[in-house]
Amino acid sequence: MEAESLEAEPLQDWQCPEGTIPIIRSPQNRPRRKTSFFSSSIQPDVDLGNNHEYAQVSLVGGNLFGASGRLNVWKPATFNGEFSITQIWVVTARGTEVINTVEAGWQTLAGTDSTRLFIFWTSDGYQRTGCYNLDCPGFVQTSHKVTLGARIEPVSRYAGNQFEISIYIHKDKKSGNWWLRMQEIDVGYWPSSIFNKLSDRADYVSWGGEIVNSGAQGHHTSTQMGSGHFAGEGYGKASYVRNLRYVDESRAIKDADPHKLVPLVSRPECYDLQMGNFNNYGTHFFYGGPGFSHRCK
């Protein structure tokens, strides 16, 4: 089986001259990021009860120096000040050490009518360091062609055209910095100096979806993940992430072996995940769900 997808693009309503970069000056209110699935991936007995829910896969262990993938783009419904995210995580969290992470993907926020490009980082497990986009010192943007926080259009339609963006995060061997490439454009880098663990290498990389469930009115949120439909509906209806790849210690880019990926689905009755079998999509999976329903309460 084969499938066909089209490119979505971060919209930029202005052109910045060489030597300058675009910055969105109106930061949006977002739910606070939290130490989440990372600790439970290492310690399976840790409770995920922090109101963040996931449907994602991880490549765990070894010396990892980057990850890439193509993210299917949708505009899931969000409510109650919550968010819905699809992204790539590059993480260091050895044993009980403090989490270091760099992240990139797309996000929808309650009260907004668009899907937006975003990045994030932290060097202390989401406590005091790190931020979205350019909201604090940290990420160094070098390209004037991409606006972090920009709207992404067009987005996919149920049983219609499917759109996606490409993301590649990798550690530069010479400088040690973590570079971000989106849509084949080198956007900028996270300096290795802002990390205490990720300055060396990553312990694992992950791909997938995340939502916040505030539990308003005493039941599960109706915030959707991905397309808002379960993985079993397949291409054109469920959301996907494809061409999962990672960078090994020789700096070779390799396809992720689906048999070595560790899945995490925190509430399968609300959001689920299953691996796909299209010939031209590399290692890939479908994921998502509607949130509150007859099976998710």
Side-chain angles (χ1 to χ4, degrees):
M1 297 177 65
E2 294 190 352
E4 181 180 0
S5 298
L6 305 169
E7 293 282 349
E9 294 291 343
L11 294 183
Q12 192 157 306
D13 299 325
W14 59 90
Q15 290 294 323
C16 290
E18 292 284 352
T20 66
I21 60 169
I23 300 176
I24 293 179
R25 293 295 188 185
S26 54
Q28 296 170 305
N29 292 324
R30 304 177 179 89
R32 184 171 177 268
R33 301 304 294 268
K34 294 184 178 181
T35 302
S36 47
F37 74 89
F38 304 120
S39 59
S40 58
S41 298
I42 298 167
Q43 303 170 17
D45 58 333
V46 174
D47 184 13
L48 280 173
N50 57 19
N51 82 353
H52 288 238
E53 298 178 12
Y54 303 89
Q56 47 105 294
V57 298
S58 299
L59 181 64
V60 182
N63 297 323
L64 301 172
F65 294 86
S68 66
R70 301 188 69 88
L71 314 182
N72 190 204
V73 179
W74 294 79
K75 188 171 69 175
T78 52
F79 303 94
N80 305 316
E82 300 161 347
F83 65 50
S84 182
I85 283 175
T86 293
Q87 68 173 67
I88 295 175
W89 293 262
V90 176
V91 187
T92 295
R94 301 163 199 158
T96 58
E97 292 181 352
V98 172
I99 292 165
N100 287 203
T101 176
V102 294
E103 310 169 21
W106 60 258
Q107 179 183 66
T108 60
L109 297 168
T112 66
D113 61 353
S114 58
T115 299
R116 292 183 177 270
L117 187 68
F118 85 94
I119 64 171
F120 192 89
W121 70 275
T122 181
S123 63
D124 64 355
Y126 304 97
Q127 298 304 307
R128 296 184 178 180
T129 66
C131 62
Y132 283 94
N133 304 330
L134 302 175
D135 291 352
C136 69
F139 185 79
V140 178
Q141 184 163 344
T142 59
S143 172
H144 67 289
K145 297 180 179 179
V146 175
T147 304
L148 297 173
R151 289 178 293 122
I152 302 175
E153 291 186 359
V155 297
S156 302
R157 301 287 183 182
Y158 186 82
N161 288 335
Q162 300 301 295
F163 294 90
E164 59 187 37
I165 58 172
S166 65
I167 292 177
Y168 174 39
I169 299 171
H170 69 100
K171 188 174 181 62
D172 180 69
K173 190 172 184 179
K174 185 176 181 180
S175 68
N177 299 327
W178 290 92
W179 274 86
L180 171 68
R181 179 179 297 173
M182 292 179 167
Q183 306 295 77
E184 305 305 317
I185 297 172
D186 289 322
V187 180
Y189 61 90
W190 292 274
S192 62
S193 59
I194 66 177
F195 301 106
N196 45 44
K197 304 299 179 185
L198 203 54
S199 57
D200 178 22
R201 59 181 169 81
D203 296 319
Y204 55 98
V205 295
S206 304
W207 303 260
E210 174 185 358
I211 65 97
V212 170
N213 172 28
S214 63
Q217 299 177 343
H219 59 72
H220 193 281
T221 182
S222 295
T223 285
Q224 300 173 339
M225 181 187 292
S227 67
H229 293 264
F230 288 111
E233 295 193 40
Y235 179 80
K237 298 176 181 179
S239 189
Y240 65 82
V241 180
R242 71 177 178 102
N243 294 111
L244 275 58
R245 295 183 173 125
Y246 69 96
V247 181
D248 69 9
E249 56 189 323
S250 71
R251 299 308 199 270
I253 303 174
K254 297 184 176 181
D255 292 333
D257 182 344
H259 299 101
K260 294 182 178 179
L261 294 174
V262 179
L264 173 67
V265 179
S266 51
R267 291 287 299 273
E269 71 274 24
C270 303
Y271 315 101
D272 66 359
L273 178 153
Q274 67 181 40
M275 300 305 296
N277 61 357
F278 288 115
N279 296 329
N280 62 332
Y281 268 25
T283 302
H284 63 285
F285 62 88
F286 296 96
Y287 72 99
F292 181 74
S293 66
H294 69 279
R295 59 186 273 189
C296 172
K297 299 179 180 178

